[in-house]
C-alpha cells in the first residue's frame, strides 16, 4: 500500500484520551468527518453559537446534554479541516474526570453517529493522512511508555523526525536512479546510459555508510530505551543477592548462606543518573550436580551474553587470583564492561590491596575497574552507583546522535543494507540494468517500509494494536 495514493475517507471515532479512572479532568476525543456536526448535536455552547460556525483552534465553554438532561459542564476544543493531530476534524471535550460522566458522554457520541475507536486508531489516521511517518507514529507509543530521561529523550527525538528525513532523501535519490536505469531498458537497442554510473556509485556508498551507522546505533538505542542490562555474577555465596538488595535498598532477593539458593534469575530496575539499569542476579557459576541449579547456571551464562555491564563478585577467602582471572577471560565479551567487585572487605583485617593488584595486573586489556565493597555493610555501594552513572553518561552522549531503538526499523535497515550491497556487487560485475533494477527496487522497498511509504495492513495492524485505545 502506498499512502500517497490512498484517499482516506473516515467515519467518526470516539474514545477517552486520558487515563481511565477518577481524575481532575477526562478528555474525550472525537475524530472524523462528522466530528463537529456530532458535537453540535450534544454540546450547547454558552455563547449560543454552534461549533460549525466557530473558527478552528478555539475553546468553548458549555454543557453536554442528553435529551435536555445536562451530563456535564465542560470545555470543547475544536480543530477543523486537516489542521489536527489526526489530519481530520477533531473535537476534544475536557470533562470532569468521573467514570460515570465519561461513560455517558461516550454513549451520547455513539448514539449520535460516532463509533468506538480501535487501539491506536487516532495515530493510525494521523499516519494515513500524512501527518506522521510510520516510525514517528511508533515513537509516539515509545514516548508514552518512556519512564526514564534517556528513553524519553530518544523517543522524543524520533517523534520529531529522527532519521526520517535522512532516509527519505536517500530513498528519493535512489528512486531517481532507479527510474533512469529503468528508462535505459526502453532504449536497450541504442546502448545509452542515462544514469551516471560514477554518481550512482557515490550514492551507493553514502547509503551504505548511513545505513551502517544507523544499524550500529541500535545497540546503544536499545539500552537507552529498555535500560542497561547489568549481570551480577560470581560463585555461590559471593554475595550477589546481598549486593542486589544493597543496590535496591530492599529485601528482594533471598539471601542465605546455603550455596545455590538463587536458582533462577531475578531482575530489578533501578534509575541512576536518569538512565534505567536492569540488574540481573544470577545463579552462582560453578559445575553442579544439582539438575535445577544446573539450569540456573546455564541461564547465568545466557545473561552474561546479553549484559552490557558485568559485575563480577569475589572475595579473597573463597577465590584465588587464577580462578578469578580465568573466569573473566573465559567469559569475556567485546563491548561489555567488566567491573570487578572485591566483596566482604569488612572481613579483611588488613588494608592491603596486593590481591587486587595482582588481579588487575593479569587482567590488563580486559578490565581496569576494581572496587572494594561490602555488600552486607553497604560500604562503597554509592561509589559503585557513581561509577555506573558515569558509564551511562558516556553511553547517552553517544545517544545524542540519531539512534535506532525499534527492532522493526533495525530489521528493515539491515535488509536494505544487504540489498544495497547486492546492487554494488552487481555494478562491479557489470550486470545488466534489468538485474540491477531488481535489487534497487528491493532496497527502496525496505527503506520505504521504515517511514511507511510502503506498508501493508498486516504491518499497520501489528504496530497500532500495541497502542492504547484513545491514542
Ligand atoms: P549469593 O549466593 O552470591 O547470592 O550470596 P548471598 O548474597 O546469598 O550471600 C551469601 C552469604 O554471604 C550471606 O550469609 C551473606 O550475608 C554473606 N555476605 C554477603 N556479602 C557480604 C559482605 O559484604 N560481608 C560479609 N561479612 N558477608 C557478606
Amino acid at each position: 500500500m502506498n499512502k500517497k495514493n490512498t484517499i482516506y475517507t473516515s467515519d467518526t471515532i470516539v474514545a477517552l484520551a486520558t487515563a481511565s479512572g477518577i481524575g481532575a479532568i477526562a478528555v474525550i476525543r472525537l475524530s472524523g468527518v462528522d466530528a463537529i456536526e456530532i458535537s453540535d448535536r450534544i454540546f450547547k455552547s454558552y455563547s449560543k453559537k454552534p461549533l460549525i460556525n466557530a473558527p478552528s483552534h478555539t475553546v468553548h465553554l458549555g454543557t453536554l446534554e442528553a435529551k435536555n438532561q445536562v451530563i456535564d459542564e465542560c470545555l470543547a476544543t475544536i480543530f477543523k479541516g486537516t489542521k489536527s493531530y489526526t489530519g481530520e476534524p477533531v473535537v476534544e471535550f475536557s470533562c470532569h474526570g468521573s467514570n460515570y460522566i465519561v461513560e455517558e458522554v461516550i454513549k451520547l457520541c455513539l448514539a449520535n453517529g460516532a463509533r468506538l475507536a480501535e487501539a491506536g486508531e487516532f495515530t493510525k489516521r494521523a499516519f494515513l493522512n500524512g501527518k506522521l511517518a510510520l516510525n514517528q507514529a511508533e515513537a509516539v507509543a515509545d514516548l508514552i511508555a518512556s519512564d526514564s530521561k534517556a528513553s524519553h529523550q530518544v523517543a522524543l527525538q524520533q517523534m520529531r523526525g529522527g532519521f526520517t528525513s535522512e532516509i527519505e532523501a536517500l530513498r528519493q535519490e535512489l528512486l531517481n536512479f532507479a527510474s533512469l536505469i529503468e528508462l535505459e531498458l526502453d532504449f536497450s537497442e541504442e546502448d545509452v546510459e542515462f544514469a551516471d554510473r560514477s554518481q550512482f556509485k557515490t550514492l551507493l556508498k553514502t547509503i551504505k555508510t548511513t545505513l551502517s551507522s544507523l544499524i550500529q546505533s541500535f545497540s546503544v538505542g536499545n539500552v537507552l530505551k529498555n535500560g542497561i542490562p547489568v549481570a551480577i555474577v560470581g560463585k555461590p555465596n559471593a554475595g550477589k543477592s546481598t549486593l542486589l538488595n544493597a543496590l535496591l535498598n530492599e529485601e528482594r532477593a533471598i539471601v542465605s548462606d546455603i550455596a545455590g539458593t538463587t536458582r533462577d534469575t531475578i531482575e530489578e530496575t533501578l534509575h541512576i543518573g536518569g538512565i534505567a539499569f536492569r540488574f540481573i542476579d544470577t545463579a552462582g557459576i560453578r559445575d553442579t550436580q544439582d539438575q535445577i541449579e544446573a539450569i540456573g547456571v546455564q541461564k547465568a551464562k545466557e545473561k552474561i551474553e546479553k549484559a552490557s555491564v558485568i559485575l563480577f563478585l569475589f572475595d579473597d577467602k573463597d577465590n584465588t587470583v587464577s580462578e578469578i582471572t580465568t573466569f573473566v577471560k573465559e567469559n569475556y565479551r567485546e563491548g561489555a564492561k567488566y567491573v570487578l567487585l572485591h566483596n566482604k572487605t569488612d572481613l579483611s583485617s588488613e588494608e592491603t590491596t596486593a590481591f587486587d593488584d595482582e588481579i588487575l595486573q593479569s587482567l590488563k586489556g580486559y578490565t581496569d575497574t576494581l572496587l572494594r565493597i561490602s555488600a552486607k555493610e553497604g560500604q562503597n555501594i554509592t561509589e559503585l552507583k557513581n561509577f555506573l552513572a558515569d558509564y551511562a553518561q558516556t553511553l547517552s552522549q553517544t545517544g545524542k546522535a540519531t539512534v535506532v531503538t525499534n527492532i522493526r526499523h533495525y530489521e528493515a535497515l539491515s535488509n536494505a543494507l544487504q540489498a544495497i550491497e547486492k546492487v554494488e556487487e552487481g555494478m562491479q560485475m557489470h550486470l545488466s540494468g534489468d538485474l540491477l533494477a531488481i535489487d534497487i527496487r528491493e532496497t527502496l522497498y525496505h527503506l520505504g517500509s521504515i517511514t511507511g511509504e510502503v506498508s501493508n495492513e498486516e504491518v499497520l495492524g501489528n504496530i497500532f494494536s500495541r497502542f492504547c485505545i484513545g491514542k
Side-chain angles (χ1 to χ4, degrees):
M1 179 172 64
N2 189 323
K3 78 177 157 117
K4 296 261 159 73
N5 297 334
T6 312
I7 298 165
Y8 194 65
T9 50
S10 65
D11 47 359
T12 301
I13 52 174
V14 64
L16 174 67
T18 41
S20 63
I22 296 170
I25 293 168
V27 176
I28 292 152
R29 190 192 253 168
L30 272 167
S31 178
V33 277
D34 296 327
I36 311 276
E37 285 80 356
I38 291 174
S39 301
D40 267 335
R41 276 178 233 142
I42 61 177
F43 177 78
K44 303 279 170 286
S45 168
Y46 287 152
S47 71
K48 305 270 188 254
K49 288 190 194 120
L51 299 177
I52 198 95
N53 297 331
S56 182
H57 294 68
T58 51
V59 184
H60 307 262
L61 181 63
T63 50
L64 277 162
E65 296 179 16
K67 296 186 187 123
N68 292 328
Q69 275 261 296
V70 173
I71 298 173
D72 196 14
E73 182 177 69
C74 73
L75 286 172
T77 311
I78 60 172
F79 305 87
K80 292 188 162 177
T82 57
K83 288 190 203 151
S84 70
Y85 175 66
T86 53
E88 56 187 17
V90 166
V91 178
E92 286 180 1
F93 293 115
S94 305
C95 305
H96 292 95
S98 119
N99 287 334
Y100 175 75
I101 292 175
V102 169
E103 232 171 76
E104 289 304 303
V105 175
I106 290 181
K107 272 201 251 169
L108 197 57
C109 293
L110 297 179
N112 281 277
R115 73 162 167 82
L116 269 185
E118 288 164 19
E121 201 172 358
F122 292 95
T123 310
K124 185 177 178 182
R125 287 185 174 197
F127 162 67
L128 290 172
N129 288 321
K131 288 273 163 180
L132 289 171
L134 195 53
N135 52 329
Q136 288 174 293
E138 287 169 303
V140 174
D142 289 344
L143 189 66
I144 296 170
S146 68
D147 61 355
S148 70
K149 193 174 164 191
S151 59
H152 168 258
Q153 186 188 312
V154 286
L156 200 64
Q157 179 214 47
Q158 297 277 311
M159 201 182 70
R160 290 186 168 163
F163 51 85
T164 310
S165 51
E166 211 173 343
I167 291 285
E168 271 177 357
L170 290 175
R171 187 174 179 274
Q172 202 51 50
E173 273 191 69
L174 192 60
L175 197 59
N176 291 342
F177 268 102
S179 321
L180 290 175
I181 288 176
E182 282 169 17
L183 191 64
E184 286 170 9
L185 301 178
D186 296 339
F187 294 85
S188 51
E189 317 268 283
E190 288 150 54
D191 195 23
V192 285
E193 271 192 9
F194 294 117
D196 181 323
R197 294 300 192 264
S198 77
Q199 266 183 25
F200 186 48
K201 274 185 193 157
T202 314
L203 175 66
L204 292 181
K205 225 169 157 191
T206 314
I207 295 179
K208 254 178 74 174
T209 316
T210 310
L211 294 182
S212 303
S213 86
L214 285 173
I215 289 167
Q216 271 168 22
S217 77
F218 181 68
S219 57
V220 173
N222 206 33
V223 294
L224 292 180
K225 180 175 156 188
N226 298 321
I228 299 174
V230 183
I232 307 178
V233 299
K235 266 180 150 182
N237 270 348
K240 297 179 294 300
S241 309
T242 312
L243 174 66
L244 185 64
N245 289 338
L247 285 164
L248 300 166
N249 290 323
E250 62 179 73
E251 289 288 309
R252 169 66 175 83
I254 319 148
V255 179
S256 96
D257 40 20
I258 307 160
T261 316
T262 315
R263 293 203 155 150
D264 205 359
T265 53
I266 295 169
E267 195 170 314
E268 288 285 356
T269 302
L270 182 66
H271 289 89
I272 307 173
I275 291 188
F277 286 86
R278 292 187 287 116
F279 287 95
I280 306 144
D281 183 14
T282 58
I285 310 264
R286 62 164 190 187
D287 291 330
T288 174
Q289 301 300 314
D290 182 330
Q291 279 291 311
I292 302 169
E293 201 192 322
I295 297 168
V297 170
Q298 185 49 38
K299 280 199 172 166
K301 294 219 174 216
E302 285 166 18
K303 291 289 175 188
I304 289 181
E305 277 295 301
K306 289 182 194 147
S308 298
V309 179
I310 297 147
L311 302 181
F312 179 61
L313 259 86
F314 61 88
D315 60 74
D316 50 17
K317 304 267 179 314
D318 202 26
N319 300 87
T320 62
V321 171
S322 91
E323 218 176 51
I324 295 161
T325 52
T326 309
F327 177 86
V328 174
K329 286 178 184 171
E330 274 178 6
N331 294 281
Y332 186 74
R333 238 190 51 241
E334 199 71 49
K337 177 81 192 161
Y338 251 94
V339 181
L340 305 170
L341 295 178
H342 186 157
N343 192 28
K344 308 193 185 182
T345 48
D346 56 302
L347 295 179
S348 322
S349 47
E350 352 118 51
E351 267 297 303
T352 169
T353 57
F355 186 75
D356 302 336
D357 293 343
E358 206 182 327
I359 294 170
L360 281 175
Q361 188 61 33
S362 61
L363 281 178
K364 256 196 179 143
Y366 291 90
T367 180
D368 56 2
T369 313
L370 188 149
L371 284 174
R372 291 168 64 85
I373 63 162
S374 165
K376 196 175 176 182
E377 304 297 328
Q379 282 164 16
N380 271 353
I381 299 301
T382 310
E383 281 69 15
L384 174 58
K385 284 190 180 176
N386 288 344
F387 171 82
L388 291 171
D390 288 347
Y391 174 74
Q393 204 55 41
T394 47
L395 266 187
S396 69
Q397 290 304 324
T398 333
K400 286 226 162 46
T402 309
V403 288
V404 175
T405 55
N406 183 304
I407 185 90
R408 192 184 72 80
H409 305 162
Y410 172 76
E411 279 170 0
L413 290 164
S414 306
N415 291 337
L417 182 63
Q418 271 179 22
I420 208 85
E421 279 167 353
K422 277 203 259 167
V423 179
E424 245 188 354
E425 271 171 39
M427 292 281 289
Q428 276 157 12
M429 289 158 65
H430 301 287
L431 281 192
S432 62
D434 50 347
L435 292 175
L436 280 182
I438 295 173
D439 291 327
I440 299 176
R441 287 278 155 204
E442 190 175 337
T443 316
L444 286 169
Y445 172 82
H446 292 302
L447 291 179
S449 72
I450 298 170
T451 52
E453 283 295 318
V454 283
S455 59
N456 60 47
E457 266 311 318
E458 196 191 1
V459 172
L460 294 187
N462 226 323
I463 292 170
F464 290 105
S465 62
R466 277 183 269 144
F467 279 63
C468 46
I469 293 189
K471 189 62 228 171

